Amino acid sequence: MKKIVSLFICFFIAGCIYAQSAEVITKILKSEQVSYGEVCYLSAVRQNLISEDATYSEAVEVLYDKGQLPVQVEVNEPAYLINLSYIYSRIWPDISGSLMYKLTKGSPRYTFKLFKAEGILGDKADPYDKISGFEALSILTSCMIAYGSDEECMSMDIE
C-alpha cells in the first residue's frame, strides 16, 4: 500500500512540474540530499528562465543573476531548507506574508517562517536541515497548491 501511495505522489508531482524531463525528475526524486543545482533547476524551469535541457550550473547562474539566490552557491552543495524556501518563494513574487516578510522583501529567514506558518513545512523543520529530492519536490508541489493558480496543479497534460 505504501508503494502505491508513493507512486501516486510521484506521478502527481511529475505532472505538476509541467513537461520537465522525466530523467531529471527521476534523478531528483532519488537524491538523498537535494543540491542547490537541482533546486535552482526546478525553479528556473518552472519560471521559464531556462530550457529543460539546461544544466544545473546554468540554472544557478540565471537565478543568481536575477537576484533569486541569497548568496552564490556551489551547484553540487546540498541545499539547506532555509535557502530552498527562499528560492521557491521567488517563483511566486506576489506571495503575501507577515509584516516582517514584507519589510524584508521576503528574506530567507522570513520566507522559512512563512512556509512553516502556512503548513508548507513541518513544525519541527529546522532552517539548516538538508532534505531529500522527494521532500524538495513535495515542498514545491505544496507551494504550487498554496500560491499557484487553480489550473497550475489541477490539470495534467498526459500524452
Side-chain angles (χ1 to χ4, degrees):
M1 180 67 178
K2 202 175 194 180
K3 288 182 181 181
I4 294 171
V5 171
S6 296
L7 186 62
F8 176 74
I9 290 172
C10 290
F11 284 129
F12 179 75
I13 290 169
C16 288
I17 304 179
Y18 293 120
Q20 291 180 5
S21 169
E23 290 177 24
V24 174
I25 299 299
T26 302
K27 183 179 177 196
I28 292 171
L29 279 170
K30 290 180 180 180
S31 325
E32 289 185 30
Q33 289 186 340
V34 70
S35 70
Y36 281 113
E38 293 167 331
V39 171
C40 291
Y41 175 84
L42 291 171
S43 177
V45 169
R46 170 65 187 81
Q47 296 177 71
N48 294 318
L49 299 175
I50 60 171
S51 67
E52 293 175 19
D53 57 351
T55 65
Y56 294 154
S57 300
E58 292 170 329
V60 168
E61 187 177 322
V62 165
L63 291 187
Y64 185 74
D65 292 343
K66 294 241 178 227
Q68 294 186 13
L69 276 175
V71 294
Q72 182 68 40
V73 295
E74 293 295 321
V75 173
N76 295 319
E77 182 182 349
Y80 290 111
L81 194 51
I82 189 168
N83 291 334
L84 177 135
S85 302
Y86 180 80
I87 292 166
Y88 283 175
S89 73
R90 301 298 116 194
I91 297 172
W92 298 276
D94 56 348
I95 293 175
S96 61
S98 66
L99 177 62
M100 290 304 293
Y101 177 83
K102 292 175 186 172
L103 288 175
T104 61
K105 296 183 173 110
S107 71
R109 174 187 174 140
Y110 290 105
T111 300
F112 177 81
K113 288 182 172 236
L114 174 69
F115 280 15
K116 278 182 75 170
E118 294 194 352
I120 293 171
L121 300 176
D123 291 335
K124 296 185 183 201
D126 183 82
Y128 295 100
D129 282 345
K130 296 175 185 174
I131 61 171
S132 70
F134 181 81
E135 292 170 311
L137 286 166
S138 294
I139 293 168
L140 180 60
T141 302
S142 296
C143 289
M144 291 171 77
I145 292 168
Y147 306 122
S149 65
D150 290 340
E151 297 83 35
E152 192 165 20
C153 236
M154 298 308 160
S155 63
M156 274 190 208
D157 184 22
I158 301 174
E159 294 181 13

